[in-house]
Amino acid sequence: MSKPKPEIKKEVVPMPKQDPEERTRNFNEVAQGYTVEQVVAEAERCLQCVKAPCVQGCPVEVDIPAFIQLIKEKRFAEAIRKVKEKNSLPAICGRVCPQEEQCQASCTMGKIGDPVSIGRLERFVSDWERERGLQITEKPDTTGKRVAIVGAGPAGLTVAANLAKLGHGVMVFEALHKPGGVLIYGIPEFRLPKKIVEAEAEYIKKLGVTMKMNALIGRLYTIGELLDRFDAAFIGTGAGLPRFMRIPGENLCGVYSANEFLIRVNLMKAYDFPRCDTPIFVGEKVAVIGGGNTAMDSTRCALRLGAKEVKIVYRRSRAEMPTRAEEVENAEEEGVVLEFLTNPRRFIGNERGWVKAMECIRMRLGEPDASGRRRPVPIEGSEFTMDVDTVIIAIGRTPNPIIQQTTKGLQVTKWGTIVTDENGKTSIQGVYAGGDIVTGQATVISAMGAGKKAAKAIHEYLMSKK
Amino acid sequence: MDQILQGLREATNLHEIVTKRELVPQINLFEFSAKETAAKTKPGQFVILRIDENGERIPLTIAGANVEKGTITVVCHEVGKSTKQLGTLKKGDYILDLLGPLGKPAEIEKFGTVLCVGGGVMTAPLHFQAKAFHEAAHKVIGVIGARTESHLIFEDEMRNVCDELYVATDDGTKGYKGLDFLKELLKKTKTDRVIVMGPVVTMKVVSELTRSHGIPTIVNLIPIMVDGMGMCGACRVTVGGKTLFACVDGPDFDGHLVDFEELMSRLKMFTPQEKLAFVLQEERGGNL
C-alpha cells in the first residue's frame, strides 16, 4: 500500500522582505531570502512534471525539476552543482530574472494556484554555496586556443565561463573598473548586492578566466588587433547609451539620465558620499520619466537618498508597463506615486539653470503600434505644470557604438545593433556577438542565453580550426 | 601567445607614478606608467583615473605620451578633494585605475598658420598639440596665460615648439594684461585655425574674438563626466543646437557653436557637495 500523498499547497511560500518604512532608509537588500524550512516547503510544491515546461521557458535550459528535487532532499551542494551545469550566474538570475515570464510562466502549478517560485529556490542554493565558499570542480585539459571577450556583462561572463570550462584560454576586456556590466552599474544594491556580483565574477576567474579592467576596446585595441592575438572574439558590449527626450530644458542642472543617476549610485556608491568621493544631488520632488525596470530602480534609489516625493511619469497606462510586477509592487509599497498617461513637454529652469518644474500633457491610448501596445496620443489642451527639482530620464538605452565605428567589415543594423546568425556569428570570421548589442535593450537572462549559444558556436569554430 | 597574455596581465596592475614635479604651487605634473595607453595616445585625448577604492573617476586631458618608456603625462590643478588627494601622492606611489585614451584625437592636418591659446593648467595638454602641429610643419603661434606670473606653466616648452609666443596674465604681472591684445594679433596675422584649451571663460572669449574673422576655432571641453565612454550623458553639451557628448563626440568642438553659458552652469551642478568633501578633508588636516 502506497503512502497517501501530502496535499500540495496552492500558495507560494512568501519571501521575507524588509519592512517598507525601514528599507527606504537603507540600501540593504529588500528581499531577504528563504530559510531552510521555507525553501524545502516551496520545493515540495514542485510536481516534477515529466515534460518540464519550466525548462523550455529557461533561456539557458537549467534542469529545473532535478535541482528542485535535490532541494526537497536538502542536498543543497548537489542542487547548486546541477544549476551551475547550465547557469554560471545563479545568484544573480535568482534575483533579477523575470521568472514570471519565463520558467514560471508555464509551471503546471500555475494552473491550479501560484507557480513554483523557481527564482527564489535558485537564489537559495547559490547563496547557500557562496556562504560556504565556492567549490570549483577540477579544471579541464587546455586546448591551447585563446578567446577575447569584450564586455564583462551577463553575455560576456557567460561566454567566458562556458569556454573556460571547455579548456579554452579566455581573457575578458572590460571598459569600466569592475566586472558585471549592468549588474554592477545599473541594478541597485538593494535589489542585487554588489558583493554577489563580485562573488560570481570571482567564480568565473577561478575557472581560469583572466579579466582585464579599464580596457575600452575600439580605443585601446581594435577587434582586428585582438584577432591578431586571439583565435576568436566575442562582442558583448550591451546597450549602455542613454536615450534622451530631445525636449527643451533637458540639459538643465538637476536633469539626469537614469544611467548617470544609477552609475553614480551603484558603481560609484554615491549613497555613501562623502566617504566615497562621487557626489549625487537628489532634491525633494523627483520625477522619473519612463515605465521600465530602470525607472523603478531610479525611483527607489531617489527615495533612499532622501527625496520626499517621488513620481513615475509614464505616457501609457499600468497595463503597458514593461517592468516586472514585483518591482512596481515594491516601489508602490515604498511610497512611489505612479502618474500614468502623462508625458513631459519641456523642463522649466530657475535663474541659476536648475530645473524647477516640468510642463506635461495628458495622453490617451490609441491604436496598437509596432510593439503591439496601444500608442499613446497627446490630448491637446490638457497641459499642466508639475513642480520638480530633480528629473531622471529612464526611457531606454541604445547600443554602445564604439566597436561598430572602429571595426571594418562588421555588419550593423540601422539601429546600431550588430548583425549575427542565430548562434551569434557576425559578418567577420571568428567574431561572435550576443546580448543587448545584438537584440537592443533586453534582459540579463536573454543576454546569458545568447552567450550560451555563442560559446557553443565559438567552441565548434575553434575545434574545427587547425 | 603566452608572452602576450603575460604582458596583458602585467598591464592589469596598478599604475605607478614614475615622475612627479610641482610646476607651480598646487599644479603638479605626473607621469604614470600606462604602456598600452601610451601606445595609442594622440593629442586632444584624455584619460580617466581613480586613486583608490572609494575614489571618483577623474577626467584629465593627456599632456604627453612616451611610447618607449610606456608612460603618459598629465598636469593636474588641485581644485577639489580628489585632485588635492592626487597632489599628496609621490613618485613611486600607485593609483588604482587608469582608463584611456578616451575621446576623439585632435585633427592635426595641413592647416597653415595655427594659433594655439592655452590658459592655466590646460597649457600643458595644449603644448602636446602645439608640438604635433610644429612637427607637422605648421607655423605655430602660441599664447599662454594664467591668473598671475607665478602661475604660468610650460612657457619654455611652448617656446620650443612655437614660431612666436605671447604671454598674458589676468593681472598684467607678465606679458599682456588680459586677452584684448588678441584683437590686434588677429588683425595683423593671417591665421587659418585657432585651438583654445583653458578655462571655459577663456574658450568663450577667444571664440567670440575669432568669430568676426571667420577663423575656425576648436575648443577642448571637459565637462563633468562619470564613465567617459558615452554611457552617462553627464557631459552633454549643446553644439549648434544639438546635444552632443564631450566624451565620445568630442572633446574637441567648434567654439563658434558651443553653448558656453549652459556648460558653465552644468559645471556647477555639484559645487555644494564638492565644497563639503573639501571642507571635511581640510578638517582632517588633509589626511585621507
Side-chain angles (χ1 to χ4, degrees):
Chain A
M1 208 178 97
S2 62
K3 274 196 285 182
K5 275 193 180 170
E7 203 188 322
I8 305 260
K9 287 206 173 63
K10 286 181 184 163
E11 293 81 32
V12 66
V13 176
M15 179 64 126
K17 285 201 286 190
Q18 270 199 78
D19 176 66
E21 200 159 322
E22 177 74 29
R23 74 191 192 222
T24 51
R25 291 197 292 265
N26 66 55
F27 268 82
N28 300 335
E29 193 169 17
V30 169
Q32 294 176 319
Y34 280 156
T35 60
V36 171
E37 291 70 37
Q38 288 168 328
V39 82
V40 173
E42 184 60 19
E44 297 280 4
R45 298 178 61 241
C46 174
L47 301 171
Q48 294 290 314
C49 310
V50 180
K51 278 190 178 167
C54 48
V55 180
Q56 289 158 35
C58 174
V60 296
E61 298 160 330
V62 169
D63 189 347
I64 294 165
F67 98 80
I68 295 183
Q69 183 59 40
L70 290 163
I71 292 179
K72 279 189 200 175
E73 296 164 20
K74 294 194 186 174
R75 291 155 68 187
F76 302 133
E78 288 160 83
I80 184 61
R81 215 167 303 147
K82 182 54 77 181
V83 174
K84 280 194 167 174
E85 280 174 11
K86 296 292 170 76
N87 185 344
S88 301
L89 307 168
I92 293 166
C93 290
R95 287 171 167 85
V96 303
C97 264
Q99 291 101 3
E100 62 279 4
E101 294 166 18
Q102 296 178 337
C103 50
Q104 292 171 200
S106 46
C107 175
T108 313
M109 275 302 292
K111 291 178 185 136
I112 55 165
D114 295 328
V116 175
S117 189
I118 300 164
R120 294 172 186 177
L121 300 180
E122 181 183 36
R123 169 183 162 153
F124 176 88
V125 288
S126 51
D127 287 355
W128 184 91
E129 185 200 34
R130 193 183 56 259
E131 282 154 18
R132 280 157 188 80
L134 297 169
Q135 296 301 313
I136 302 294
T137 45
E138 57 192 273
K139 282 184 186 161
D141 292 340
T142 155
T143 61
K145 307 283 185 187
R146 304 285 187 190
V147 185
I149 312 278
V150 186
L157 290 180
T158 302
V159 179
N162 288 11
L163 290 176
K165 283 179 188 168
L166 293 165
H168 302 299
V170 181
M171 178 171 273
V172 178
F173 295 84
E174 166 58 45
L176 289 174
H177 56 262
K178 281 189 177 154
V182 72
L183 307 168
I184 202 96
Y185 77 73
I187 302 177
E189 181 74 18
F190 52 82
R191 205 147 76 73
L192 178 62
K194 297 307 150 229
K195 67 170 201 287
I196 286 165
V197 182
E198 281 159 19
E200 303 262 50
E202 216 38 57
Y203 162 73
I204 291 168
K205 281 187 205 165
K206 281 188 183 165
L207 293 171
V209 171
T210 307
M211 295 211 200
K212 182 172 166 55
M213 300 297 111
N214 299 311
L216 179 62
I217 299 305
R219 293 262 189 263
L220 197 61
Y221 298 109
T222 61
I223 292 292
E225 284 169 317
L226 290 180
L227 287 179
D228 293 340
R229 302 169 176 202
F230 294 88
D231 300 297
F234 174 81
I235 306 168
T237 43
L241 262 64
R243 212 187 281 264
F244 283 97
M245 301 200 69
R246 301 182 185 278
I247 57 175
E250 202 162 27
N251 295 349
L252 288 164
C253 291
V255 181
Y256 298 94
S257 72
N259 252 17
E260 179 186 353
F261 188 75
L262 293 173
I263 290 173
R264 284 180 184 276
V265 177
N266 301 322
L267 177 69
M268 305 311 296
K269 302 196 188 298
Y271 61 84
D272 205 4
F273 179 85
R275 202 180 72 81
C276 291
D277 292 336
T278 304
I280 193 146
F281 168 84
V282 175
E284 298 198 339
K285 293 184 173 185
V286 179
V288 178
I289 320 297
N293 287 329
T294 308
M296 290 302 144
D297 286 346
S298 303
T299 61
R300 297 173 69 198
C301 285
L303 276 174
R304 283 160 174 77
L305 289 162
K308 291 213 167 66
E309 197 182 295
V310 181
K311 276 186 186 161
I312 280 277
V313 176
Y314 182 49
R315 63 194 181 127
R316 304 182 199 242
S317 71
R318 187 183 290 265
E320 290 80 24
M321 287 179 97
T323 183
R324 296 178 66 191
E326 187 188 328
E327 298 308 328
V328 186
E329 184 192 311
N330 279 328
E332 285 193 295
E333 268 178 20
E334 291 171 12
V336 171
V337 176
L338 304 172
E339 192 84 54
F340 292 116
L341 294 166
T342 305
N343 211 21
R345 285 228 145 159
R346 67 187 176 105
F347 303 105
I348 303 159
N350 67 15
E351 63 291 344
R352 292 179 301 116
W354 277 82
V355 66
K356 65 168 186 183
M358 186 164 89
E359 187 187 298
C360 298
I361 189 161
R362 297 288 184 195
M363 314 289 279
R364 62 178 176 79
L365 293 177
E367 294 302 307
D369 64 11
S371 74
R373 297 176 299 175
R374 292 175 65 191
R375 186 193 303 274
V377 186
I379 304 172
E380 290 311 325
S382 68
E383 291 87 349
F384 68 100
T385 306
M386 188 188 285
D387 286 344
V388 290
D389 52 16
T390 306
V391 174
I392 300 164
I393 298 173
I395 57 167
R397 292 189 288 259
T398 56
N400 286 17
I402 297 179
I403 288 189
Q404 294 86 313
Q405 289 165 359
T406 54
T407 311
K408 271 192 202 129
L410 186 67
Q411 212 186 323
V412 176
T413 68
K414 65 177 175 182
W415 299 281
T417 51
I418 296 175
V419 177
T420 67
D421 71 4
E422 70 278 12
N423 295 316
K425 193 168 175 290
T426 70
S427 54
I428 301 176
Q429 198 189 0
V431 179
Y432 295 76
D436 286 4
I437 195 67
V438 171
T439 58
Q441 190 185 346
T443 60
V444 169
I445 189 71
S446 65
M448 290 176 59
K452 192 188 157 176
K453 276 187 188 166
K456 190 164 170 279
I458 293 169
H459 176 63
E460 282 161 11
Y461 168 74
L462 292 174
M463 300 320 279
S464 70
K465 224 171 83 163
K466 295 236 167 76
Chain B
M1 183 55 71
D2 279 329
Q3 257 180 339
I4 291 161
L5 281 182
Q6 186 58 37
L8 288 172
R9 272 197 199 103
E10 278 168 19
T12 61
N13 287 344
L14 308 168
H15 297 273
E16 187 183 350
I17 299 174
V18 181
T19 309
K20 182 197 175 187
R21 205 168 75 224
E22 187 185 72
L23 300 178
V24 300
Q26 295 184 336
I27 296 184
N28 292 298
L29 178 145
F30 294 94
E31 199 180 356
F32 291 106
S33 67
K35 198 173 169 188
E36 297 167 288
T37 301
K40 295 285 172 147
T41 292
K42 295 205 168 64
Q45 293 183 296
F46 64 99
V47 287
I48 282 187
L49 48 87
R50 219 162 64 100
I51 302 170
D52 58 27
E53 195 46 47
N54 291 334
E56 63 185 325
R57 294 168 69 92
I58 312 168
L60 291 169
T61 312
I62 303 171
N66 186 325
V67 182
E68 289 77 39
K69 263 173 89 183
T71 61
I72 60 135
T73 300
V74 296
V75 173
C76 180
H77 191 182
E78 295 174 13
V79 288
K81 194 252 174 191
S82 296
T83 46
K84 205 170 167 70
Q85 185 184 353
L86 189 62
T88 63
L89 300 182
K90 300 178 293 292
K91 180 181 180 215
D93 286 346
Y94 292 85
I95 57 163
L96 187 57
D97 297 298
L98 191 152
L99 165 70
L102 299 170
K104 292 181 178 163
E107 285 179 67
I108 312 283
E109 284 168 30
K110 219 60 191 128
F111 294 120
T113 302
V114 182
L115 175 67
C116 293
V117 185
V121 67
M122 291 299 278
T123 308
L126 177 82
H127 165 259
F128 188 26
Q129 211 168 123
K131 186 163 157 264
F133 279 120
H134 174 72
E135 283 161 4
H138 291 267
K139 182 180 179 192
V140 181
I141 303 171
V143 174
I144 62 167
R147 201 150 46 81
T148 186
E149 183 182 5
S150 61
H151 284 52
L152 277 169
I153 62 165
F154 268 60
E155 187 178 344
D156 292 341
E157 289 88 340
M158 279 296 280
R159 208 171 289 284
N160 285 337
V161 298
C162 293
D163 298 273
E164 297 166 29
L165 183 73
Y166 301 86
V167 175
T169 48
D170 293 350
D171 61 1
T173 43
K174 182 159 185 183
Y176 292 95
K177 187 169 194 275
L179 289 171
D180 279 352
F181 78 97
L182 281 177
K183 282 183 199 158
E184 290 306 309
L185 186 66
L186 287 167
K187 259 184 220 161
K188 70 174 195 210
T189 318
K190 188 190 162 293
T191 309
D192 300 295
R193 194 174 178 90
V194 178
I195 315 293
V196 204
M197 294 172 84
V200 180
V201 195
T202 305
M203 294 193 282
K204 181 178 180 231
V205 166
V206 176
S207 298
E208 286 311 319
L209 286 175
T210 59
R211 191 191 300 275
S212 57
H213 295 270
I215 308 166
T217 300
I218 305 301
V219 293
N220 185 281
L221 309 183
I222 299 287
I224 290 175
M225 56 174 74
V226 189
D227 60 283
M229 56 188 98
M231 291 172 63
C232 76
C235 69
R236 57 195 191 272
V237 284
T238 302
V239 183
K242 271 170 69 181
T243 295
L244 298 175
F245 291 180
C247 64
V248 287
D249 300 315
D252 279 354
F253 292 104
D254 180 342
H256 296 149
L257 298 177
V258 170
D259 183 342
F260 289 107
E261 296 299 325
E262 180 188 275
L263 175 62
M264 281 189 258
S265 161
R266 288 186 61 81
L267 278 167
K268 290 185 202 139
M269 184 152 161
F270 295 100
T271 305
Q273 286 86 350
E274 285 159 8
K275 278 191 180 144
L276 172 69
F278 193 73
V279 167
L280 288 172
Q281 183 192 32
E282 293 289 289
E283 276 178 6
R284 287 193 297 256
N287 292 323
L288 299 149

